[in-house]
Amino acid sequence: MHNDDWLDRTRASVWHPCTQMKHLEQTPPLPIARGEGAWLIDHDGRRYLDAISSWWVNLFGHANPRINAAIIDQLGRIEHVMLAGCTHAPVVELSERLVRLSGLGHAFYASDGASATEIALKMSFHYWRNHGRPLKTGYVSLQHGYHGETLGALSVTDVALFKDVYAPLLRHSSQVISPDWRLASADESAEAYAKRAVGRMEDHLAEHADTTAAVIIEPLVQGAAGMAMYPPSYLTELRVLCDKYQVHLIADEIAVGFGRTGTLFACEQAEILPDFLCLSKGITGGYLPLSCVLTRDEIYAAFYADATARGFLHSHSYTGNPLACRAALAVLDIFESDDVLRRNRAKATRFNELLAPISSHPRVRHMRQTGMIWAFDVIDVEPGFGARFHQQALARGLFIRPIGNTVYFMPPYIIEEAEMRFMSEVTLDLLQGMQGFEP
Ligand SMILES: *Cc1c(COP(=O)(O)O)cnc(C)c1O
């Protein structure tokens, strides 16, 4: 079967996520037959470089032999068993390793990022309730923050396109200015602006701490906001504020965890421990749905009692799925055996060099990089820029999806020099060819 056969059938039967289906008449989805390292291959044999890691999940390439082998081995043992009332080696081993790596206590599992957000929000509220503080029911998040799209997660998300329609269904939450350094005034450093943003958070907490359970943030990089970046000092000071006002700090590292920002977890760069750490996306190397919430021991202890209702009575059918846990264990093995974080630093340095002609392009602003995430904004774009840029890049064999006027790269860590060169050359060509561009 060829691409076109699959396109007809997908239009007729699949309701695609985050998509106005009518737009598929003009911009069909890519019918992917297989993957190989950083490449996606369609049914007509065309190859596309997966420069955004299949929506930020893939770390070590498609069809990675080591992750494949781990899942196949687990398939021959036990594919799934419920985790309420049972346990199994993959979930125990994964929890032990995540606890050691994060410095936190127990690990609670679900399948998607949004579910991890829901769990952290519920646990935080329930902790305060178990502590005789039932009025602490509110949440604070950052402007343009993204934490998922189920109702609870959407309530703390601040992306108008995803949120406005559903506003009548959502709980109120408060948003405080983002430390995104692009918002600094002309004469203000990123650090100085981050300090000003912390000040605004303190103003809010000083007034509302009695009714606030938690602050939820994306550490260092706000992904869906368009890869908004900010310095670790914001997190260090936010930790101090949360302690001072007795409010939990939920670190949503669903996108930035597992090495994306240069350290295994982004919070390490601020030398802080959150109260809740939400993980998903890269946790299985982009193989299987798995998410996890790690908490401090003191939070766990607040639920530990004779009374059933003091416990955290939350579950999903596939909580702690053994296949997903084995994929995650294989991912952690690769981090250790291949010295991934150090090698990524060298790759990042090289890609920064390759991007220099783009940084200095007259239509480009705010070139930025944190770990294995790169982004820049294109000025004076016409409406529909993102979709057009996406299509033009596809025609050249590059799979990228701008967010608004922000073009970003979030490649798998196995990306090689020639592939980095390809990403930067195609992108520069597309910028040069943009309509209305006068050099
Ligand atoms: C993707 C993402 C989520 C939601 O994860 P899903 O698996 O898509 O539900 C939550 N928070 C952040 C920061 C994300 O990037």
Side-chain angles (χ1 to χ4, degrees), residues 56 111-115 117 146-149 218 224 252 254-255 280-281:
W56 321 349
S111 312
D112 294 286
S115 317
T117 300
Y146 180 89
H147 303 289
E149 292 168 51
E218 296 158 87
D252 174 353
I254 290 165
S280 187
K281 292 208 163 107

Side-chain angles (χ1 to χ4, degrees), residues 143 177-197 228-231 366:
Q143 258 170 5
I177 58 167
S178 161
D180 172 3
W181 60 253
R182 292 174 301 172
L183 304 174
S185 53
D187 56 354
E188 198 175 31
S189 69
E191 293 284 343
Y193 175 65
K195 216 171 176 59
R196 180 149 69 88
M229 299 182 184
Y230 61 88
H366 302 309

Side-chain angles (χ1 to χ4, degrees), residues 306-360:
D306 292 320
T308 306
R310 273 183 83 94
F312 190 59
L313 307 185
H314 178 110
S315 65
H316 298 280
S317 305
Y318 285 98
T319 296
N321 175 262
L323 294 169
C325 289
R326 278 299 294 276
L329 286 166
V331 162
L332 292 178
D333 287 344
I334 294 174
F335 268 105
E336 278 179 21
S337 63
D338 292 11
D339 205 0
V340 170
L341 296 175
R342 192 183 55 78
R343 284 163 70 171
N344 280 357
R345 279 198 289 279
K347 289 184 187 200
T349 304
R350 183 68 190 117
F351 196 41
N352 283 337
E353 290 164 10
L354 290 168
L355 288 177
I358 295 180
S359 309
S360 57

Side-chain angles (χ1 to χ4, degrees), residues 55-57 111-117 145-150 153 157 216-219 221-224 252-256 278 280-281 289-291 410:
W55 245 359
W56 321 349
V57 298
S111 312
D112 294 286
S115 317
T117 300
Y146 180 89
H147 303 289
E149 292 168 51
T150 52
T157 285
I216 179 166
I217 46 103
E218 296 158 87
V221 182
Q222 292 183 284
D252 174 353
E253 296 217 18
I254 290 165
V256 298
C278 301
S280 187
K281 292 208 163 107
L290 180 70
S291 63
M410 202 153 156

Side-chain angles (χ1 to χ4, degrees), residues 151-162:
L151 293 178
L154 194 57
S155 292
V156 292
T157 285
D158 184 41
V159 178
L161 182 63
F162 301 148

